[in-house]
Amino acid sequence: MVAGMPPVERLHLDHVVQTVCVLESVVLRSFGPEGGQVLFTRDTGQAMLSRSGARILTVLRLEHPLARMVVECVLKHSTVTGDGSKTFILLLASLLRMIHKMACKEPNVSHTYTSRQTAEASTARHLADKILAFALEELDDLIAMGVIPYGCCLSWEDFTAKKHLPGPSNTDCVQKLLTSFFHSRLGRSHCDFISKLTCELLTHWKFKRDQPSLSLEFVNDNFDALHTPVSGFPISCSRLIEGQVIHRDFATPCPQTEQKTVKAAVFSGYLQPKLLNAGQVLQLGCGEQWMGENSKNNRSIVQFSAWTERSLECVFANLQSLGVSVILSAVKQSAAVLSLAAQAEMCVVECVSEDELSLFAQLSGATPVLDCWMVEPEHVATLTFCRPILLGAHRYVHVAFNDSEERVTVKPCSLVICGLGEGQTDQYTCAFRDAIRMLLSTWEPMGMTATTASKRTLQSTKSTSSHVDQIPNVPPFQQCGLQPGCVIPAGGTFEFLLHHALLQNGTSCSASDDTVTSGLAVSQLLANALLIVPRQIYSHSPRHFLQAQARFQTIVQNHSHPFSLVYKQEHSSIFGESAFPLEEDKLTKHRFTEADMSAKLFMSDSGLESVSCKYQLLLAVLQCLSSILHVDTVLHTHTALHTQSRRLANTSWEDTDDETED
């Protein structure tokens, strides 16, 4: 080693597996329906109680750069889809263990490598690249043919329906989708309440003639301005309130007016011109030779001050002529502005955030004022009211908007999120935000097309089965196709179905050459790695895991539909005698009833999860797998960057207090 160089650490496959398995042991504590919350404590006595995988991984003090690299991949995925942090670690650890096992089975070290460890690392990289290439090429087809037909396709109306329709309705599926998500993030308590509140929020922000993704994008992009965290109250106190809450207080007294409408203007700059801008310096001389020059400067300053006062009076006169009574400012105004506003009985709200001003402009239709001398009618917004509102220990500004033709179906509202402590309130807020991201990912099309893999799967099924190969007759609202909004029963359904599809894909390959042989190994490896998720879900009882796996094999073999099992007894008019009118179908009905009804309770209670989110999660895991296996050397440096990364990892502790479960 050259003198002065930082210490070098050679990464072996064993080290990579051990590092990821340590992260797995942490998230396993809170994984699955029986998972609990993880309690973290600091030397200062601060405590954090959380069930969120992303939050748990964020607060860990990770010294090893490979562990920080894995957590960074997890957080990037979670930021996009809002879900899957714990499953990400589980799948990654499962894949690494299986790749390590296959790499160690090499009979001899290749002559091109100097050690067995180098050969194992090369084999592992080769397998990871093969799996990623296979997934990018064929995974979408396998999901389209092997998973989606057993799911349900939800519509935007299901999320924004105000009332439940009689009979089988996808509104129940919507509630189960959100309830499953909040259960995995916050525990069993209050899941139904939070999911209903989320649906109610989306109902208010349903834009006319817009795609679901556009409405969800609007709520996601403006979530900071659309929600208000309130500590000191239980989550059951969370609610929606009309209009927008601006998280600032009035800088001038708010007069009590009986006007039916209120007019407001948004200013992005100062109303009173300044003598000096930021960064400018006024130099004044000293001594007798400078007295004359200073006298001129003083007179200029006095004249400038008088001019600004006169110009400010003209600005307020113009605002009064337009009927403006509320001023929203992005900056802090001068004392002269506040004084004239009080005399004119105008309310001033200072230092409003850019996000809140942007949302206000979109909802009101008014254009922010860039030049205070050019205030026109298009800069004036008409409000239903503008008044103070007390939320918790803080007083904010509460505004409501008039109805607009552009948003007939939109009823602007703000979300008040309550929690017993600041840390708990922050967790609820993150859960709401991630739920919106999850729904947005659910409605994004996956770009699936049934091509080579799907045809190969169908040919294999026809050649190995004598039964009729077709999707069962189910209600129209359950036919997913390749449309966005596809969901699948939770509890390992996605993993079981994709496991079966991967094995079918492997058996359809012909082992006539090395490439096909490696493709068979890749399919089997990925299929077996997926089972880590249902195994951990049923970790409290391995017997239940085997029973669930047998039930899904029965569903696939009998061409049943999981959603048919859920609604079969609850809605007999759909799945009653009329569903099997022919004599030759009695055997089918008998098989459907006896073989599949054993899974009914499991299906109805397991909840739902997004197929698109699962698909994106699996791709993200495989990309992370390929990336970390290509790292073979670590240079340990002690720089400001390392210190800063540790500081950023601990930022989420700053606003957390001691919390207890209610």
Side-chain angles (χ1 to χ4, degrees), residues 154-164 169-182 190-207 215-216 219 223 238-240 409 411 413 415 431-433 435-436 438-439 443 608:
L154 304 179
S155 65
W156 184 237
E157 286 71 19
D158 300 324
F159 276 83
T160 57
K162 296 183 179 179
K163 296 181 180 179
H164 292 266
S169 172
N170 280 10
T171 309
D172 298 328
C173 297
V174 171
Q175 293 291 336
K176 288 186 177 181
L177 174 62
L178 289 171
T179 300
S180 301
F181 175 83
F182 287 119
H190 311 299
C191 287
D192 293 335
F193 170 77
I194 299 176
S195 61
K196 291 178 181 178
L197 189 60
T198 305
C199 288
E200 187 178 353
L201 174 68
L202 297 178
T203 301
H204 282 74
W205 289 104
K206 180 181 178 181
F207 288 90
S215 298
L216 290 169
V219 176
F223 188 78
S238 302
R239 64 190 186 278
L240 298 179
T409 58
K411 297 180 179 179
C413 65
L415 175 63
F432 272 103
R433 184 196 303 272
I436 300 300
M438 181 271 294
L439 294 177
W443 254 267
L608 297 173

Side-chain angles (χ1 to χ4, degrees), residues 356-415:
E356 292 177 339
L357 289 179
S358 175
L359 178 62
F360 180 88
Q362 294 181 67
L363 297 178
S364 64
T367 305
V369 179
L370 301 177
D371 186 358
C372 60
W373 288 92
M374 301 292 293
V375 182
E376 302 294 339
E378 59 266 20
H379 298 130
V380 179
T382 302
L383 307 176
T384 304
F385 60 79
C386 178
R387 59 197 179 200
I389 182 173
L390 187 64
L391 295 176
H394 301 278
R395 196 177 83 151
Y396 301 116
V397 177
H398 185 198
V399 299
F401 306 92
N402 289 333
D403 294 334
S404 173
E405 295 181 359
E406 288 77 11
R407 48 179 178 84
V408 176
T409 58
V410 172
K411 297 180 179 179
C413 65
S414 295
L415 175 63

Side-chain angles (χ1 to χ4, degrees), residues 579-590:
F580 303 94
L582 302 180
E583 184 69 22
E584 56 267 22
D585 289 339
K586 289 185 178 180
L587 179 61
T588 303
K589 177 185 175 182
H590 178 74

Side-chain angles (χ1 to χ4, degrees), residues 560-612:
S560 306
H561 198 286
F563 286 94
S564 302
L565 306 177
V566 177
Y567 292 106
K568 181 175 177 60
Q569 290 184 351
E570 298 177 1
H571 309 286
S572 58
S573 60
I574 299 272
F575 299 97
E577 295 294 333
S578 59
F580 303 94
L582 302 180
E583 184 69 22
E584 56 267 22
D585 289 339
K586 289 185 178 180
L587 179 61
T588 303
K589 177 185 175 182
H590 178 74
R591 185 177 67 241
F592 180 88
T593 303
E594 293 187 354
D596 295 340
M597 287 311 296
S598 61
K600 177 182 179 296
L601 293 177
F602 168 78
M603 290 297 180
S604 60
D605 297 334
S606 59
L608 297 173
E609 55 190 0
S610 168
V611 175
S612 178

Side-chain angles (χ1 to χ4, degrees), residues 238-295:
S238 302
R239 64 190 186 278
L240 298 179
I241 58 177
E242 178 187 3
Q244 179 185 1
V245 175
I246 299 175
H247 301 102
R248 303 294 300 180
D249 198 359
F250 291 100
T252 58
C254 179
Q256 298 295 333
T257 61
E258 297 182 356
Q259 298 179 359
K260 294 183 179 180
T261 59
V262 178
K263 293 187 177 182
V266 176
F267 289 85
S268 58
Y270 298 98
L271 274 73
Q272 183 180 19
K274 285 192 171 185
L275 177 62
L276 297 176
N277 295 322
Q280 295 181 342
V281 178
L282 177 63
Q283 295 182 354
L284 298 177
C286 60
E288 296 181 357
Q289 67 273 21
W290 295 98
M291 291 181 59
E293 188 67 24
N294 286 342
S295 178

